[in-house]
Amino acid sequence: LSPDGNQVAFAWNGEAQESFDLYVKLVGPGAPVRLTNEPNMESSPAWSPDGRQIAFVRNLAPGRSVLAVIPALGGSERIVAEATSFGSGISWSPDGKSVAWFSDASGEYKLVVAPQTGLGERKEIALGKPSMYFNPRWSPDSKRIAFTDVGLNLWMVDVATGTPTLVDTDQWMVPTRTLDAAWSPDSRWIAYAKRLPSQLHAIFVYDVSAKRSTRITDGLSDALAPAWDRNGKYLYWLASTDLGLNTSWLEMAPYDHPVTRSLYLAVLR
């Protein structure tokens, strides 16, 4: 979805079931507009913060892909980088100057930050112990990136220094991973949901300066999906008080058990 919420970008092989190309479409009636026409498969479209450009991945061959950027209204594309894959997705910096992704070209995953122009040097940030990494999310001031790994850890890295910091670790990954970061508008806090020993989730906030996490929900409900309002005055989340049997996922007990969630908020000082 574009930043203004009026358009969607997607990869589609068309009614003729040809190769996957990049399309944009206005939300609502109307036909999609085709932006690319290549024999190679394209995927992972990501809008620039100003909505004028779209980054995407083109798979050239097994183990060889390129990251390209094209105007959202169509036109000439430019190649930003080539890598073995961009499987973890592409993330634009909020200031629109850089794109970030994870690359295993060196044998171990690193965080790569590159100018979206395709000009200038990339920065490769070593992330410590070998792992697989996901969901790079920039802070609003474009100075830090939060991400997760296969070991259920939530990390934060300072782009300028390349120093990674462990924010927190979840205890269980099943049935779904939920340890995703939500940055506050002032870039001072990270909100996330983490499982408790009861298997219910609680909402935590991490103070970037103090490097300390604080739980803000009581653990008597299953709280997920924290989101900040644009002015940083409120923190919202979804919570369920009837999750009950669904905390178990390898038994028959949760079958056909409906779960409802309500929207809650905390007023921030």
Side-chain angles (χ1 to χ4, degrees):
L1 189 66
S2 61
D4 63 8
N6 292 326
Q7 299 180 82
V8 290
F10 56 96
W12 183 38
N13 61 349
E15 296 179 356
Q17 300 293 294
E18 299 171 335
S19 61
F20 280 83
D21 288 307
L22 191 66
Y23 291 78
V24 294
K25 183 184 180 302
L26 287 172
V27 175
V33 176
R34 190 175 191 169
L35 296 183
T36 61
N37 189 0
E38 291 283 335
N40 303 104
M41 186 176 76
E42 288 154 1
S43 62
S44 307
W47 290 87
S48 65
D50 62 7
R52 296 181 180 179
Q53 303 178 89
I54 301 172
F56 65 96
V57 174
R58 176 176 293 136
N59 299 317
L60 302 179
R64 183 174 175 232
S65 301
V66 294
L67 168 59
V69 173
I70 192 170
L73 297 178
S76 300
E77 63 185 58
R78 64 179 179 274
I79 303 300
V80 176
E82 182 173 334
T84 54
S85 73
F86 298 87
S88 62
I90 308 159
S91 183
W92 285 81
S93 62
D95 61 12
K97 296 180 180 180
S98 305
V99 287
W101 69 92
F102 293 109
S103 172
D104 63 351
S106 66
E108 298 294 347
Y109 276 95
K110 294 181 179 180
L111 179 63
V112 182
V113 178
Q116 58 88 8
T117 59
L119 305 174
E121 294 185 4
R122 310 183 201 175
K123 184 167 188 173
E124 296 188 357
I125 300 173
L127 301 173
K129 70 175 186 178
S131 186
M132 292 184 65
Y133 297 92
F134 314 96
N135 303 324
R137 295 184 179 177
W138 289 83
S139 59
D141 62 7
S142 300
K143 294 181 178 180
R144 298 177 177 88
I145 300 175
F147 55 93
T148 58
D149 68 19
V150 74
L152 305 181
N153 299 303
L154 175 60
W155 296 88
M156 174 191 70
V157 67
D158 185 295
V159 175
T161 64
T163 302
T165 301
L166 179 63
V167 173
D168 208 340
T169 302
D170 211 343
Q171 301 180 69
W172 296 278
M173 64 170 289
V174 291
T176 56
R177 297 174 183 268
T178 56
L179 196 68
D180 292 327
W183 284 96
S184 64
D186 61 5
S187 302
R188 291 184 54 196
W189 304 86
I190 299 173
Y192 58 96
K194 175 184 172 180
R195 278 187 177 86
L196 303 175
S198 64
Q199 295 292 312
L200 298 177
H201 293 85
I203 302 299
F204 291 75
V205 291
Y206 177 79
D207 186 330
V208 172
S209 298
K211 297 184 179 180
R212 180 178 64 246
S213 286
T214 302
R215 195 174 90 184
I216 64 169
T217 59
D218 58 15
L220 298 179
S221 63
D222 188 62
L224 292 172
W228 306 81
D229 82 303
R230 292 182 178 179
N231 297 318
K233 294 182 178 180
Y234 307 101
L235 178 63
Y236 299 87
W237 66 88
L238 296 173
S240 171
T241 57
D242 59 7
L243 184 72
L245 298 175
N246 290 62
T247 57
S248 173
W249 67 283
L250 283 177
E251 304 173 2
M252 298 286 288
Y255 282 23
D256 298 322
H257 175 66
V259 175
T260 58
R261 293 189 182 274
S262 300
L263 181 63
Y264 292 79
L265 67 85
V267 180
L268 307 174
R269 290 185 294 176

